[in-house]
Amino acid sequence: MNCEIRLPGLILSGENSAERLPALLPAAGPLLIVSARSHAEWARRTLLQEECRGLLLTGFQPELPLTDADRVLQEGRRIGAQAVVAVGGGSVMGQGKTVAALLPLEGMTADYFYNRRTIPGKGAFFAALPTTAGTGAEMTANAVLRDPETGIKQSLRHPGMMADVAVSDPCLTWGCPPALTAASGFDALPQAVESVLSNRATACTRALAGEALQLLLAALPGAMRDEHPARAAAAEGSMMTGMAFAQSGLGAVHGLAHPLGSLLHVPHGVCCAILLPEILRHNRDCLGLLPGGEHPETFIARVEKLRQDLDLPATFRAFGLNASHYPFVLRHCRSSSMKCNPIPLADEEIVRILETLT
Ligand SMILES: [Zn+2]
């Protein structure tokens, strides 16, 4: 099968690998750091070192709104930033990718979001440091943004948005709260499964995603207890998942998680956790592709047990899903993720799955 692989210019992983980043940043010009609040102090101490080196911004809303993206873009242009570092979860990664791409250009984020202008190529130097394991967003060349005025949520995408350096340092995930660890883990886990099963998978992406799946299945309970070896395995699993799905695409879990998440305001990983077993049942005939050679029912039961152990919900009942939501989900689920699902889902099948989870 033809294979095209795009990855960050340099990938570092392992404990304390983030300490190597200052030496890899461009020496000249101000640095712009966007950071999750939880890691702002670490980022200031490790990366900014002296105030005159640049600016650190924090306090972003989840599901990156255009207003936040513009605020950072204006500050970055004001200081003449030459490099951007993002330290955080998926939306902070998206923030970093967006600002790095648009810094040297004219116009504001909405101009590119609504295709009034196009990104011509590579922007400023960009380094991505995930603090959850994880979204895999440090490995992808797109940023999901939303316009709070219109409710539209879509990706800004360009190959030049790929990070120059991605650092998967498990020390940055130490102390991550259990609920966030569980939700992030159940984003990475379905991503690994969907990458293996994707109809765009290759031997190369399957090798990465299959190994990542094994790591994540074994590591997530220990990561919840903040055991450091498990944190390291989960971070590596998440990183490898990102490397794989950035090439292979995902599947129906992600196709459905996006409209359900934006409709019911359910965190993305929680959405994926609720959907995964039902989609596995739909894809039952393809589960032989997964590593380990387990019987499909055994594998599904194992995933459901893990979900329960991680205190994640099994349905959307608590989030108020009802039949009036189904048309919206059907209208907005036919994304590129959905097209990668190995066994297509007809509308009737999607409704049946939603009814099971309502
Ligand atoms: Zn995801």
Side-chain angles (χ1 to χ4, degrees), residues 72-144:
V72 175
L73 184 57
Q74 275 166 328
E75 286 293 301
R77 285 179 180 159
R78 185 181 62 76
I79 64 162
Q82 300 296 307
V84 178
V85 182
V87 187
S91 57
V92 177
M93 293 289 128
Q95 174 73 78
K97 284 181 227 181
T98 304
V99 68
L102 304 189
L103 265 178
L105 307 177
E106 303 207 319
M108 301 310 289
T109 315
D111 296 325
Y112 298 89
F113 184 78
Y114 287 116
N115 296 312
R116 295 192 291 264
R117 290 172 181 268
T118 50
I119 298 173
K122 174 81 183 123
F125 176 98
F126 173 56
L129 285 78
T131 58
T132 59
T135 63
E138 72 278 15
M139 297 295 170
T140 62
N142 70 300
V144 184

Side-chain angles (χ1 to χ4, degrees), residues 318-331:
F319 301 100
L321 180 65
N322 63 60
S324 74
H325 296 126
Y326 300 172
F328 178 91
V329 177
L330 291 174
R331 238 186 354 264

Side-chain angles (χ1 to χ4, degrees), residues 134-135 187-188 191 245 250 254 258 268-269 272:
T135 63
D187 186 10
Q191 283 172 177
F245 86 78
L250 293 162
H254 278 77
H258 286 299
H268 175 67
C272 290

